[in-house]
Amino acid sequence: MRMRRKRQSVEAAELNITAFMNLMVILVPFLLITAVFSRMTVLELNLPALDGDASAEQEPVDLQLQLIVQDSYLALRDANLGLIQQIERTDDSRQWSRLRELLLELKTRFPEETGIALLLSPSVSYDMMIQLMDRVRSAEQVQLGTLERVELFPDISLGDAPDEQGGNA
């Protein structure tokens, strides 16, 4: 006796990707939003040459301007070269005019430079921070009998000031 096998017809299975598409609709915007907040910081180190040859041509030093704001002073400095000038903090306009003169002088010497870092002590008020940002961004200057607004350093970054013991160096 022969056994008969029934032929089973195999139907093609249909994929249901609705749940996967719902997941992607939520996941993609979430990843795009969080990717903006994660940034990689690169630290550039300029190490001296191994041979120590002083006669080799040196590259021009880029200006990395910093304005350190402590309770008793404003210190304008370059991150590479050190302190440029320290201004005593007072309640009158002398500190602002001296800061304006220094920034205008630096802008004439380095016209292509647009960045400055404001390093603030924790006790600096929000109002003082806004005043500083306004004053380093642009200044008014008399040129040819007219008062013109000159752009100084519009690319401002904020940070914490170093301790007062190490901040003067």
Side-chain angles (χ1 to χ4, degrees):
M1 195 189 269
R2 273 175 138 192
M3 286 196 174
R4 290 191 180 199
R5 290 187 187 190
K6 292 184 180 179
R7 281 191 129 168
Q8 293 179 354
S9 61
V10 179
E11 292 183 20
E14 190 174 312
L15 292 177
N16 186 1
I17 61 169
T18 305
F20 179 73
M21 291 303 291
N22 287 340
L23 177 67
M24 288 298 119
V25 165
I26 293 173
L27 189 60
V28 168
F30 174 75
L31 290 175
L32 289 175
I33 289 171
T34 57
V36 173
F37 298 114
S38 63
R39 297 189 181 181
M40 183 168 48
T41 303
V42 176
L43 180 62
E44 287 187 28
L45 297 176
N46 297 324
L47 300 174
L50 291 177
D51 59 0
D53 188 11
S55 64
E57 289 186 33
Q58 293 184 3
E59 296 179 12
V61 177
D62 290 336
L63 183 68
Q64 293 180 358
L65 201 55
Q66 296 176 338
L67 180 61
I68 299 173
V69 183
Q70 296 288 353
D71 292 332
S72 59
Y73 64 88
L74 304 170
L76 191 61
R77 59 173 284 170
D78 179 31
N80 297 323
L81 302 175
L83 183 67
I84 296 171
Q85 180 128 20
Q86 184 168 318
I87 303 168
E88 197 71 29
R89 274 185 70 180
T90 59
D91 291 335
D92 59 6
S93 63
R94 284 184 295 169
Q95 70 178 354
W96 299 122
S97 62
R98 184 66 192 135
L99 179 64
R100 182 181 144 282
E101 290 170 8
L102 283 170
L103 292 173
L104 283 170
E105 180 182 335
L106 282 170
K107 189 61 176 183
T108 56
R109 292 171 71 190
F110 302 96
E112 69 284 344
E113 187 64 41
T114 61
I116 188 169
L118 295 180
L119 305 178
L120 309 167
S121 73
S123 62
V124 173
S125 67
Y126 178 76
D127 184 46
M128 178 65 158
M129 180 184 72
I130 297 299
Q131 286 183 33
L132 285 165
M133 290 174 73
D134 289 340
R135 293 180 190 274
V136 299
R137 185 176 294 124
S138 63
E140 292 181 347
Q141 185 178 26
V142 177
Q143 291 180 350
L144 301 173
T146 61
L147 188 64
E148 294 182 7
R149 184 161 289 279
V150 177
E151 181 182 76
L152 295 173
F153 303 99
D155 299 332
I156 301 169
S157 56
L158 297 174
D160 293 329
D163 294 336
E164 290 221 29
Q165 293 82 16
N168 293 339

CSV table of all heavy atoms in Angstrom, one decimal, residues 14-52:
chain,number,residue,atom,x,y,z
A,14,GLU,N,4.3,37.3,4.4
A,14,GLU,CA,4.3,38.8,4.2
A,14,GLU,C,4.9,39.4,5.4
A,14,GLU,O,4.6,39.1,6.5
A,14,GLU,CB,2.9,39.3,4.0
A,14,GLU,CG,2.8,40.7,3.5
A,14,GLU,CD,1.4,41.1,3.2
A,14,GLU,OE1,0.7,40.4,2.5
A,14,GLU,OE2,1.0,42.2,3.7
A,15,LEU,N,5.9,40.3,5.1
A,15,LEU,CA,6.6,41.0,6.3
A,15,LEU,C,5.7,42.1,6.7
A,15,LEU,O,5.3,42.9,6.0
A,15,LEU,CB,7.9,41.5,5.8
A,15,LEU,CG,9.0,40.4,5.5
A,15,LEU,CD1,10.2,41.1,5.0
A,15,LEU,CD2,9.3,39.6,6.7
A,16,ASN,N,5.6,42.2,8.0
A,16,ASN,CA,4.8,43.3,8.6
A,16,ASN,C,5.9,44.2,9.2
A,16,ASN,O,6.5,44.0,10.3
A,16,ASN,CB,3.9,42.8,9.7
A,16,ASN,CG,3.0,43.9,10.2
A,16,ASN,OD1,3.1,45.0,9.8
A,16,ASN,ND2,2.1,43.6,11.2
A,17,ILE,N,6.2,45.3,8.6
A,17,ILE,CA,7.2,46.3,9.0
A,17,ILE,C,6.6,47.5,9.7
A,17,ILE,O,7.3,48.5,9.9
A,17,ILE,CB,8.1,46.6,7.9
A,17,ILE,CG1,7.4,47.3,6.8
A,17,ILE,CG2,8.9,45.4,7.4
A,17,ILE,CD1,8.3,48.0,5.7
A,18,THR,N,5.4,47.5,10.0
A,18,THR,CA,4.7,48.7,10.6
A,18,THR,C,5.4,49.0,12.0
A,18,THR,O,5.7,50.2,12.2
A,18,THR,CB,3.2,48.4,10.8
A,18,THR,OG1,2.7,48.0,9.6
A,18,THR,CG2,2.5,49.6,11.3
A,19,ALA,N,5.6,48.0,12.8
A,19,ALA,CA,6.2,48.3,14.1
A,19,ALA,C,7.7,48.9,13.9
A,19,ALA,O,8.1,49.8,14.6
A,19,ALA,CB,6.3,47.0,14.9
A,20,PHE,N,8.4,48.3,12.9
A,20,PHE,CA,9.7,48.8,12.7
A,20,PHE,C,9.7,50.3,12.2
A,20,PHE,O,10.5,51.1,12.6
A,20,PHE,CB,10.4,47.9,11.6
A,20,PHE,CG,11.8,48.4,11.3
A,20,PHE,CD1,12.8,48.2,12.2
A,20,PHE,CD2,12.1,49.0,10.1
A,20,PHE,CE1,14.1,48.6,11.9
A,20,PHE,CE2,13.3,49.4,9.8
A,20,PHE,CZ,14.4,49.2,10.7
A,21,MET,N,8.8,50.6,11.3
A,21,MET,CA,8.7,52.0,10.8
A,21,MET,C,8.3,52.9,12.0
A,21,MET,O,8.8,54.1,12.0
A,21,MET,CB,7.6,52.0,9.7
A,21,MET,CG,8.1,51.3,8.4
A,21,MET,SD,9.6,52.0,7.8
A,21,MET,CE,9.1,53.6,7.2
A,22,ASN,N,7.4,52.5,12.9
A,22,ASN,CA,7.0,53.3,14.0
A,22,ASN,C,8.3,53.6,14.9
A,22,ASN,O,8.5,54.7,15.3
A,22,ASN,CB,6.0,52.7,14.8
A,22,ASN,CG,4.6,52.7,14.2
A,22,ASN,OD1,4.4,53.5,13.3
A,22,ASN,ND2,3.7,51.8,14.6
A,23,LEU,N,9.1,52.6,15.1
A,23,LEU,CA,10.3,52.8,15.8
A,23,LEU,C,11.3,53.8,15.1
A,23,LEU,O,11.8,54.7,15.8
A,23,LEU,CB,11.0,51.5,16.0
A,23,LEU,CG,12.4,51.5,16.7
A,23,LEU,CD1,12.1,51.9,18.2
A,23,LEU,CD2,13.1,50.2,16.6
A,24,MET,N,11.4,53.7,13.9
A,24,MET,CA,12.3,54.6,13.1
A,24,MET,C,11.8,56.1,13.2
A,24,MET,O,12.6,57.0,13.2
A,24,MET,CB,12.5,54.2,11.7
A,24,MET,CG,13.3,52.9,11.5
A,24,MET,SD,15.0,53.2,12.1
A,24,MET,CE,15.1,52.0,13.4
A,25,VAL,N,10.5,56.2,13.1
A,25,VAL,CA,9.9,57.6,13.1
A,25,VAL,C,10.2,58.3,14.4
A,25,VAL,O,10.5,59.4,14.5
A,25,VAL,CB,8.4,57.5,12.9
A,25,VAL,CG1,7.7,58.8,13.3
A,25,VAL,CG2,8.1,57.2,11.4
A,26,ILE,N,10.3,57.5,15.5
A,26,ILE,CA,10.6,58.1,16.8
A,26,ILE,C,12.2,58.2,17.0
A,26,ILE,O,12.7,59.1,17.5
A,26,ILE,CB,10.0,57.3,17.9
A,26,ILE,CG1,8.5,57.4,17.8
A,26,ILE,CG2,10.5,57.7,19.3
A,26,ILE,CD1,7.7,56.6,18.8
A,27,LEU,N,12.9,57.2,16.6
A,27,LEU,CA,14.3,57.1,16.9
A,27,LEU,C,15.1,58.1,16.1
A,27,LEU,O,16.1,58.7,16.6
A,27,LEU,CB,14.8,55.6,16.6
A,27,LEU,CG,16.2,55.3,17.0
A,27,LEU,CD1,16.4,55.5,18.5
A,27,LEU,CD2,16.6,53.9,16.6
A,28,VAL,N,14.8,58.3,14.8
A,28,VAL,CA,15.6,59.2,13.9
A,28,VAL,C,15.6,60.6,14.5
A,28,VAL,O,16.7,61.2,14.6
A,28,VAL,CB,15.2,59.0,12.5
A,28,VAL,CG1,15.8,60.1,11.6
A,28,VAL,CG2,15.6,57.7,11.9
A,29,PRO,N,14.4,61.2,14.7
A,29,PRO,CA,14.5,62.6,15.3
A,29,PRO,C,15.2,62.7,16.6
A,29,PRO,O,15.9,63.6,16.9
A,29,PRO,CB,13.0,63.0,15.4
A,29,PRO,CG,12.3,62.1,14.5
A,29,PRO,CD,13.1,60.8,14.4
A,30,PHE,N,15.0,61.7,17.5
A,30,PHE,CA,15.7,61.7,18.7
A,30,PHE,C,17.2,61.7,18.6
A,30,PHE,O,18.0,62.4,19.2
A,30,PHE,CB,15.3,60.5,19.6
A,30,PHE,CG,16.1,60.3,20.9
A,30,PHE,CD1,15.8,61.1,21.9
A,30,PHE,CD2,17.1,59.4,21.0
A,30,PHE,CE1,16.5,61.0,23.1
A,30,PHE,CE2,17.8,59.2,22.1
A,30,PHE,CZ,17.5,60.1,23.2
A,31,LEU,N,17.8,60.8,17.7
A,31,LEU,CA,19.2,60.8,17.4
A,31,LEU,C,19.7,62.1,16.8
A,31,LEU,O,20.8,62.5,17.1
A,31,LEU,CB,19.5,59.6,16.5
A,31,LEU,CG,19.4,58.2,17.2
A,31,LEU,CD1,19.6,57.1,16.1
A,31,LEU,CD2,20.3,58.1,18.4
A,32,LEU,N,18.9,62.7,15.9
A,32,LEU,CA,19.3,64.0,15.3
A,32,LEU,C,19.4,65.1,16.3
A,32,LEU,O,20.3,65.9,16.3
A,32,LEU,CB,18.4,64.3,14.2
A,32,LEU,CG,18.5,63.5,12.9
A,32,LEU,CD1,17.5,63.9,11.9
A,32,LEU,CD2,19.9,63.6,12.3
A,33,ILE,N,18.4,65.1,17.3
A,33,ILE,CA,18.4,66.1,18.3
A,33,ILE,C,19.6,66.0,19.3
A,33,ILE,O,20.3,66.9,19.6
A,33,ILE,CB,17.1,66.1,19.0
A,33,ILE,CG1,16.0,66.7,18.1
A,33,ILE,CG2,17.1,67.0,20.3
A,33,ILE,CD1,14.6,66.5,18.7
A,34,THR,N,19.9,64.8,19.7
A,34,THR,CA,20.9,64.6,20.7
A,34,THR,C,22.3,64.7,20.0
A,34,THR,O,23.3,65.0,20.7
A,34,THR,CB,20.8,63.2,21.3
A,34,THR,OG1,20.8,62.2,20.3
A,34,THR,CG2,19.6,63.1,22.2
A,35,ALA,N,22.4,64.5,18.7
A,35,ALA,CA,23.7,64.6,18.1
A,35,ALA,C,24.2,66.0,18.1
A,35,ALA,O,25.4,66.3,18.1
A,35,ALA,CB,23.6,64.1,16.6
A,36,VAL,N,23.4,67.0,18.2
A,36,VAL,CA,23.8,68.4,18.3
A,36,VAL,C,24.5,68.7,19.6
A,36,VAL,O,25.4,69.5,19.6
A,36,VAL,CB,22.5,69.3,18.1
A,36,VAL,CG1,22.9,70.8,18.4
A,36,VAL,CG2,21.9,69.2,16.8
A,37,PHE,N,24.1,68.0,20.6
A,37,PHE,CA,24.7,68.3,21.9
A,37,PHE,C,26.0,67.6,22.2
A,37,PHE,O,26.7,68.0,23.1
A,37,PHE,CB,23.7,68.0,23.0
A,37,PHE,CG,22.4,68.8,23.0
A,37,PHE,CD1,21.2,68.3,22.7
A,37,PHE,CD2,22.5,70.2,23.1
A,37,PHE,CE1,20.1,69.0,22.6
A,37,PHE,CE2,21.4,71.0,23.0
A,37,PHE,CZ,20.1,70.4,22.7
A,38,SER,N,26.3,66.6,21.5
A,38,SER,CA,27.6,65.9,21.7
A,38,SER,C,28.6,66.4,20.7
A,38,SER,O,28.4,66.3,19.5
A,38,SER,CB,27.4,64.4,21.5
A,38,SER,OG,27.0,64.1,20.2
A,39,ARG,N,29.6,67.0,21.2
A,39,ARG,CA,30.7,67.6,20.4
A,39,ARG,C,32.0,67.0,20.9
A,39,ARG,O,32.3,66.8,22.1
A,39,ARG,CB,30.7,69.1,20.5
A,39,ARG,CG,29.4,69.7,20.0
A,39,ARG,CD,29.5,71.1,19.9
A,39,ARG,NE,28.2,71.6,19.4
A,39,ARG,CZ,27.9,72.8,19.1
A,39,ARG,NH1,28.8,73.7,19.3
A,39,ARG,NH2,26.7,73.1,18.7
A,40,MET,N,32.9,66.8,19.9
A,40,MET,CA,34.2,66.3,20.3
A,40,MET,C,35.2,67.5,20.4
A,40,MET,O,35.2,68.3,19.6
A,40,MET,CB,34.7,65.3,19.2
A,40,MET,CG,36.0,64.7,19.6
A,40,MET,SD,36.5,63.3,18.5
A,40,MET,CE,36.3,64.0,16.9
A,41,THR,N,35.9,67.5,21.5
A,41,THR,CA,36.9,68.5,21.8
A,41,THR,C,38.2,68.0,21.3
A,41,THR,O,38.7,66.9,21.7
A,41,THR,CB,36.9,68.9,23.3
A,41,THR,OG1,35.6,69.3,23.6
A,41,THR,CG2,37.9,70.0,23.5
A,42,VAL,N,38.9,68.9,20.6
A,42,VAL,CA,40.3,68.5,20.1
A,42,VAL,C,41.2,69.5,20.8
A,42,VAL,O,41.1,70.7,20.7
A,42,VAL,CB,40.4,68.6,18.6
A,42,VAL,CG1,41.8,68.3,18.1
A,42,VAL,CG2,39.4,67.7,17.9
A,43,LEU,N,42.2,68.9,21.4
A,43,LEU,CA,43.3,69.7,22.0
A,43,LEU,C,44.5,69.7,21.1
A,43,LEU,O,45.1,68.6,20.9
A,43,LEU,CB,43.6,69.1,23.4
A,43,LEU,CG,44.6,69.8,24.2
A,43,LEU,CD1,44.2,71.3,24.5
A,43,LEU,CD2,44.9,69.1,25.5
A,44,GLU,N,44.9,70.9,20.7
A,44,GLU,CA,46.1,70.9,19.8
A,44,GLU,C,47.3,71.2,20.7
A,44,GLU,O,47.3,72.2,21.5
A,44,GLU,CB,46.0,72.1,18.8
A,44,GLU,CG,45.0,71.7,17.7
A,44,GLU,CD,45.0,72.8,16.6
A,44,GLU,OE1,46.1,73.5,16.4
A,44,GLU,OE2,44.0,72.9,16.0
A,45,LEU,N,48.3,70.4,20.6
A,45,LEU,CA,49.6,70.6,21.3
A,45,LEU,C,50.7,71.0,20.3
A,45,LEU,O,50.9,70.4,19.3
A,45,LEU,CB,50.0,69.4,22.0
A,45,LEU,CG,49.0,68.9,23.1
A,45,LEU,CD1,49.5,67.5,23.6
A,45,LEU,CD2,48.8,69.9,24.2
A,46,ASN,N,51.3,72.1,20.6
A,46,ASN,CA,52.5,72.6,19.8
A,46,ASN,C,53.7,72.2,20.6
A,46,ASN,O,54.1,73.0,21.5
A,46,ASN,CB,52.4,74.1,19.6
A,46,ASN,CG,51.2,74.4,18.8
A,46,ASN,OD1,50.8,73.7,17.9
A,46,ASN,ND2,50.6,75.6,19.1
A,47,LEU,N,54.3,71.1,20.3
A,47,LEU,CA,55.5,70.6,21.0
A,47,LEU,C,56.7,71.2,20.3
A,47,LEU,O,56.7,71.4,19.1
A,47,LEU,CB,55.5,69.1,21.0
A,47,LEU,CG,54.3,68.4,21.7
A,47,LEU,CD1,54.4,66.9,21.5
A,47,LEU,CD2,54.3,68.8,23.1
A,48,PRO,N,57.8,71.4,21.0
A,48,PRO,CA,59.0,71.9,20.4
A,48,PRO,C,59.6,70.8,19.5
A,48,PRO,O,59.4,69.6,19.7
A,48,PRO,CB,59.9,72.2,21.6
A,48,PRO,CG,59.4,71.5,22.8
A,48,PRO,CD,57.9,71.3,22.5
A,49,ALA,N,60.4,71.3,18.6
A,49,ALA,CA,61.1,70.3,17.7
A,49,ALA,C,62.1,69.5,18.4
A,49,ALA,O,62.7,69.9,19.4
A,49,ALA,CB,61.8,71.1,16.5
A,50,LEU,N,62.4,68.3,18.0
A,50,LEU,CA,63.3,67.4,18.6
A,50,LEU,C,64.7,67.9,18.6
A,50,LEU,O,65.5,67.7,19.5
A,50,LEU,CB,63.2,66.0,18.0
A,50,LEU,CG,61.9,65.2,18.3
A,50,LEU,CD1,61.9,63.9,17.5
A,50,LEU,CD2,61.7,65.0,19.7
A,51,ASP,N,65.1,68.5,17.5
A,51,ASP,CA,66.5,68.9,17.3
A,51,ASP,C,66.8,70.2,18.1
A,51,ASP,O,68.0,70.5,18.4
A,51,ASP,CB,66.9,69.1,15.9
A,51,ASP,CG,66.0,70.1,15.1
A,51,ASP,OD1,65.1,70.7,15.8
A,51,ASP,OD2,66.2,70.3,13.9
A,52,GLY,N,65.8,70.9,18.5
A,52,GLY,CA,66.0,72.1,19.3
A,52,GLY,C,66.7,73.2,18.5
A,52,GLY,O,67.3,74.1,19.1
